[in-house]
């Protein structure tokens, strides 16, 4: 069989509502953990540049990602559309939601990292995100932190 080795870093694409407070969660928690601790490329749709349709760029990012991280607190229809696409592709997905979020029936059976949107909740969401990323990467055969 033919083996292909690539020096490209594994990719984590983050699906979320692109407004406050979710962008702060991305900037202060998700991105530093994924990039600094796991040496993966981590990005959201607003970090995609160039001409063309943004939806096409998002779909391509989901296809190319090794893991999807989805923040689902806002019940944003775009987020759920993208999450459904990732699910159809059988992408490993880590779900995040603010504690006490009422999850839709179709999502309620999945593991979700619930967090408190306050300073004391940061350590807990960081620790849970690390454990979940380690589990995903081990299943995919990546060496992780």
């Amino acid at each position: 069989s033919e083996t292909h080795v690539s020096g490209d870093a594994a990719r984590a694409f983050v699906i979320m509502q692109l407004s406050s407070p979710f962008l702060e969660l991305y900037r202060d928690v998700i991105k530093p953990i994924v990039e600094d601790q796991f040496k993966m490329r981590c990005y959201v749709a607003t970090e995609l540049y160039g001409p063309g349709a943004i939806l096409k760029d998002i779909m391509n990012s989901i296809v190319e990602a090794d893991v999807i991280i989805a923040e689902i607190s806002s019940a944003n229809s775009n987020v759920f559309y993208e999450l459904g696409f990732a699910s159809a592709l059988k992408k490993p997905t880590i779900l995040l939601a603010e504690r006490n979020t009422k999850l839709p029936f179709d999502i309620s059976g999945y593991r979700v990292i619930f967090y408190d949107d306050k300073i004391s909740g940061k350590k807990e969401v960081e620790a849970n995100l690390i454990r979940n990323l380690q589990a995903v990467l081990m299943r995919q055969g990546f060496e992780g932190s």
Side-chain angles (χ1 to χ4, degrees):
S1 78
E2 190 174 314
T3 303
H4 179 277
V5 177
S6 173
D8 293 340
R11 295 181 202 141
F13 186 63
V14 181
I15 299 169
M16 62 190 302
Q17 183 167 311
L18 298 170
S19 63
S20 187
F22 308 109
L23 285 173
E24 288 81 0
L25 175 70
Y26 170 72
R27 182 192 64 228
D28 297 340
V29 176
I30 298 170
K31 190 170 182 90
I33 286 173
V34 172
E35 291 189 343
D36 299 342
Q37 205 153 348
F38 289 90
K39 309 300 182 213
M40 296 173 68
R41 180 170 178 237
C42 182
Y43 56 105
V44 292
T46 56
E47 296 172 336
L48 300 171
Y49 302 99
I54 186 69
L55 184 58
K56 183 177 179 190
D57 291 340
I58 291 169
M59 296 298 122
N60 286 338
S61 294
I62 293 169
V63 168
E64 295 170 357
D66 297 292
V67 63
I68 302 296
I69 299 171
E71 205 300 330
I72 58 173
S73 299
S74 65
N76 180 298
S77 57
N78 293 333
V79 170
F80 285 113
Y81 178 82
E82 295 159 15
L83 182 59
F85 182 67
S87 178
L89 295 174
K90 297 183 179 5
K91 290 292 178 170
T93 303
I94 298 170
L95 301 175
L96 303 169
E98 191 169 358
R99 198 169 314 282
N100 298 321
T101 297
K102 174 96 170 103
L103 298 176
F105 173 79
D106 293 350
I107 304 288
S108 63
Y110 289 88
R111 288 186 180 94
V112 177
I113 298 172
F114 288 101
Y115 65 90
D116 294 306
D117 186 18
K118 53 187 178 181
I119 292 172
S120 62
K122 184 176 185 254
K123 286 187 193 246
E124 181 181 6
V125 73
E126 286 174 334
N128 284 320
L129 182 57
I130 289 167
R131 283 192 287 272
N132 279 270
L133 276 168
Q134 286 171 332
V136 166
L137 295 175
M138 280 182 27
R139 286 185 191 134
Q140 291 185 324
F142 287 102
E143 292 185 22
S145 171

